[in-house]
Amino acid sequence: TPRNMPPPQGAHPMPPSPEVAAITGEYVAVRSSNIRRGPSAETERVATVDAGASLRVVGLTEGRDWYQVETPDGQRGFIYGQLIRPKPQPEPAGPTAPKVEPAPKVEEAALPAPRIAGELIKDCESCPEMVRIPAGSFVMGSASGHWSEKPALRVTIAKPFALGRYVLTAGQWQACVDAGACPSLPQMQGAAPKTPVHNVSWNEVQGYLKWLRQTTGQPYRLPSEAEWEYAARAGTKTRYWWGEAIGVNNADCNGCGGQWNRKTPTEVGAYAANPFGLYDMSGGVMEWVADCWHPDHQGAPTDGSARSDGDCSQRVLRGGSWRHDPTYATVTSRLSYDASVRYYTNGVRIARDLP
């Protein structure tokens, strides 16, 4: 079951005594949720917890995304893994956690050049503006986050590549529509030319990439999941590139502070860029990447390449969206969705090989 899809009701009848591996951890409920007597939505409800409620995890069912939990008043039961997240740790004080002030919003013509990544690349008037991302090494995933983000592993990006300075916009998608190479602009509420294009499927993005390659002669593609996280981190080691806490007005998400519109994401470039000069890597729209879905990082390539095995009918999404809460906007959070299906939070950021 993909992380962002509800568990199928009654699709997997549970055995009388499910195997539960002992684990411990402090978690919080993502939203108001039921705690069940057994690891199935068909079993009796034993308690209900509100969004943000603390839970102590004491076990994980073998092969299933159901956690055994204990409430503060001592009630025990099972909760589906999509409904809880590791409890955020307070940002450490002192010189190890310098405060990063968000840059003010500026007009497009005055946007600063990237500080580390190098030159900007723009191959045609309607093409996405790209940033050169340097080669390097980083630790992908999280040893203490959601199970889908584990295990943490060292990944080396051997060659520089280019990545969209912004997510693809409605105006850029419209250029492909006007050329007859893309389906009509997807249904979006209140979309302007600089609104991130969303409600597009992974398969439809392949058509846009084909048109972009034919138009420019350049090797455009989707980034791998590893490339995306490497670029989102931009040399940092915290949950968000600006620190451990979501802060205020650092990203466009439900609970990130600042102005927020539930119907539509904010226009690109409204928040500060990360040290690679990339905007909106957290929040905004979920970003399709090239990889087939795997439930975790076990066996993932360490050279930064995309995973082409696994469930390729499902593709990976990164970065959270304006409709998700901040826990989905971390640099390690990952979800999946059907490659052939549109969903209103899903958009795309384009990559390109460099000579």
Side-chain angles (χ1 to χ4, degrees), residues 37-66:
R37 187 168 302 280
S40 167
E42 300 300 306
T43 61
E44 177 189 358
R45 181 179 63 190
V46 297
T48 300
V49 293
D50 295 328
S54 296
L55 294 168
R56 187 168 71 93
V57 167
V58 295
L60 174 63
T61 56
E62 187 70 29
R64 297 178 59 80
D65 191 15
W66 283 82

Side-chain angles (χ1 to χ4, degrees), residues 264-351:
T264 186
T266 190
E267 292 187 2
V268 299
Y271 301 89
N274 76 6
F276 278 173
L278 301 170
Y279 290 80
D280 311 315
M281 296 295 284
S282 291
V285 294
M286 293 287 294
E287 300 179 23
W288 287 115
V289 295
D291 300 59
C292 300
W293 174 249
H294 281 256
D296 53 36
H297 289 316
Q298 192 68 46
T302 57
D303 61 357
S305 60
R307 303 187 81 167
S308 57
D309 60 336
D311 183 2
C312 292
S313 69
Q314 305 276 331
R315 298 287 175 159
V316 178
L317 289 152
R318 286 302 208 110
S321 83
W322 88 100
R323 293 294 298 271
H324 286 94
D325 68 66
T327 62
Y328 288 85
T330 67
V331 294
T332 55
S333 179
R334 50 196 302 270
L335 300 173
S336 72
Y337 208 73
D338 293 329
S340 61
V341 178
R342 289 179 171 184
Y343 191 66
Y344 71 102
T345 62
N346 298 346
V348 63
R349 188 183 301 262
I350 305 301

Side-chain angles (χ1 to χ4, degrees), residues 206-291:
Q206 304 311 303
Y208 175 84
L209 289 169
K210 180 180 180 181
W211 169 74
L212 200 58
R213 288 191 294 265
Q214 291 174 342
T215 300
T216 64
Q218 298 296 337
Y220 284 95
R221 56 179 176 82
L222 284 180
S224 70
E225 188 174 7
E227 288 173 331
W228 189 96
E229 185 171 323
Y230 173 70
R233 286 184 176 280
T236 65
K237 298 180 181 180
T238 46
R239 298 179 76 228
Y240 311 94
W241 69 261
W242 57 83
E244 292 292 343
I246 190 64
V248 177
N249 208 31
N250 290 315
D252 183 23
C253 78
N254 185 2
C256 289
Q259 294 184 346
W260 181 73
N261 185 336
R262 69 179 301 274
K263 295 182 178 180
T264 186
T266 190
E267 292 187 2
V268 299
Y271 301 89
N274 76 6
F276 278 173
L278 301 170
Y279 290 80
D280 311 315
M281 296 295 284
S282 291
V285 294
M286 293 287 294
E287 300 179 23
W288 287 115
V289 295
D291 300 59

Side-chain angles (χ1 to χ4, degrees), residues 124-145:
C124 69
E125 183 178 354
S126 60
C127 290
E129 190 173 41
M130 312 294 287
V131 175
R132 183 182 186 275
I133 306 299
S137 181
F138 77 112
V139 175
M140 180 179 178
S142 170
S144 59

Side-chain angles (χ1 to χ4, degrees), residues 102-122:
K105 182 178 179 179
V106 294
E107 297 301 321
E108 173 72 17
L111 288 172
R115 291 179 284 160
I116 297 176
E119 74 273 11
L120 300 177
I121 300 163
K122 190 172 175 68

